[in-house]
Amino acid sequence: MDLKEFWLNSLKRLYPTITHQKFVSWFKNTAAISIEKGTLTVGLPTTFAQNWVNDKYKIKVLQAAQELNPEIEKVVFEVHATLDNPADGRAVNIDVIIGKKRKSRKISGGREVSYGDGLKSKAFNPRYTLNNFIVGKDNRLPHAACMAAANMPGGIYNPLFIYGGVGLGKTHLLQATGIEILKNRPDAKVIYMSAEKFVTEIVEAIGKRYTKEFKAKYRNVDCLILDDVQFFARKDSSQQEFFHTFDDLYNFNKQILISCDRSPSELEGIDTRLVSRFTMGMVVELLFPDFETRLAILHAKCREHGVIIDSEILEFIAYNTQKSIRELEGILLQVVALSQIQNTVPTLALVAGIMKKLNKSKEIVGIQEIKTETKRIVRDSDDVMDMVCEHFNITRTELLGNDRRREFALPRQICMYLMKNELDHSYEKIGRDFSGRTHTTVLHACNKVVSSMKTDEKLVRDLNALKKEMGL
Ligand code: ADP
Ligand code: MG
């Protein structure tokens, strides 16, 4: 056992013998400095702590240390002023000892905003705004509906029911709408909570026979936002209570916003009267966004986190993420973290490795090629041409010729693209290499490849494989 581990274990034994507060005050930023000839030397960051601990805790420290190492006969305390500087690195992190206690305290609370009369809302996450929600064709409608509800709460988009799979931005939109309503009307009572929490409150109220108070309380709300209402399924008495609250709010033109993981017609175990209430206003589906929108989201998240990542890497992530935006963000954050740890610029191979780990079962476009690649040295146009011909199984004459059929035109365009982007040759030079074509022909070919990359899965795969072969 090294000194740090030894001291951590000693503190673990000491912790239950004194109060939490005192333990934190006196044993934060402390370390075992040495154990020599039966003497344990403990370092403390201040003279004050040295005197105090020596006075009050010497015996307890000795006992805890002796349990681990019976050869220790004596403890001395020394001042090591740098111990409270994290850069010193010798001090034990007592969070691992007191961590559990902290966690259990936290569970009940969470961050909440209280409106009086027992009305509480979960605090909004300021990261979620309508402005930083990236809009593409697949999520334009839900976004527009939220904007409308925020600008005119209780209007025609009431209730607003947003549904879609996990990690597609439902919570983001709901919270952003709440934040926007509060911006327009800072005194409004905007309550945001998960349907699960709402059910817990209802059950509590029923148990204490407080249902009247419960109803009265929610009647004062200006906007009620319930996230994940699928939680109401099969909770019949909760549904009953919610039904009344819903009608009260609705009749007074208070805005109701609801999210759900499926459409109202697919909801099971929820009273049909309630389901029909859900559909009285606007029902919109949030879909998994298309490639361009996913890419735009990645660019936005990079800006948000202040990191710069090559567009090609972002395209690869956007292309290969097929499920949720949460997954997309998760991969990006891992890429950032890993490249920071390794102090390198993220490469396609690094990203592919991360994605492979996360998606054990799924085939990732480009991965297979990366794995089985045989690197070769690609130095000039000739090498690229050879490589492309081999990859597409065409001859050099076919590559350089004028046959416009796709099987020849595509390799030709890809070849030009690689020469431009990877070898940095000018359009003019590439034109000359391709039997004297003009520079505009080459320019068009390169642009064609770039635009096709967004929709053509096979093309991306081919390009990744070729680049990999070039050692990129
Ligand atoms: P859901 O509630 O549908 O499970 P979330 O609202 O928690 O999903 O979204 C997951 C993550 O994806 C959040 O960090 C959110 O900010 C982000 N996100 C989803 N859609 C978009 C979008 N169109 N623009 C920006 N971020 C988005
Ligand atoms: Mg959510």
Side-chain angles (χ1 to χ4, degrees), residues 375-442:
K375 268 196 196 152
R376 60 163 110 193
I377 312 271
V378 176
R379 275 170 269 110
D380 55 25
S381 323
D382 243 17
D383 295 331
V384 179
M385 287 182 181
D386 277 348
M387 192 183 75
V388 172
C389 285
E390 195 178 303
H391 182 88
F392 289 100
N393 206 11
I394 60 173
T395 65
R396 180 69 80 100
T397 322
E398 285 163 339
L399 182 77
L400 296 178
N402 289 318
D403 194 327
R404 288 172 182 226
R405 274 177 293 170
R406 186 176 158 83
E407 61 210 275
F408 306 115
L410 186 72
R412 202 173 291 138
Q413 289 162 353
I414 287 182
C415 191
M416 292 179 184
Y417 170 88
L418 288 173
M419 285 155 81
K420 175 76 195 115
N421 285 273
E422 308 307 340
L423 300 183
D424 215 14
H425 289 174
S426 68
Y427 293 123
E428 287 75 13
K429 166 154 178 31
I430 299 171
R432 281 197 300 278
D433 289 338
F434 272 86
S435 344
R437 283 172 163 86
T438 64
H439 90 277
T440 35
T441 310
V442 182

Side-chain angles (χ1 to χ4, degrees), residues 28-44:
K28 206 169 91 187
N29 301 326
T30 58
I33 305 299
S34 63
I35 302 174
E36 271 171 28
K37 297 188 194 121
T39 299
L40 163 67
T41 304
V42 172
L44 303 164

Side-chain angles (χ1 to χ4, degrees), residues 291 295 298-299 302 307-318 332 335-336 339 344-351 417 421-422 453 464 467 472:
F291 174 81
L295 193 55
L298 282 172
H299 278 291
C302 282
V307 293
I308 297 171
I309 292 184
D310 195 44
S311 287
E312 194 192 30
I313 304 261
L314 297 183
E315 277 170 27
F316 183 81
I317 299 173
L332 179 71
V335 170
V336 172
S339 65
T344 55
V345 179
T347 59
L348 224 46
L350 174 101
V351 179
Y417 170 88
N421 285 273
E422 308 307 340
M453 266 194 299
N464 284 340
K467 282 187 194 169
L472 295 164

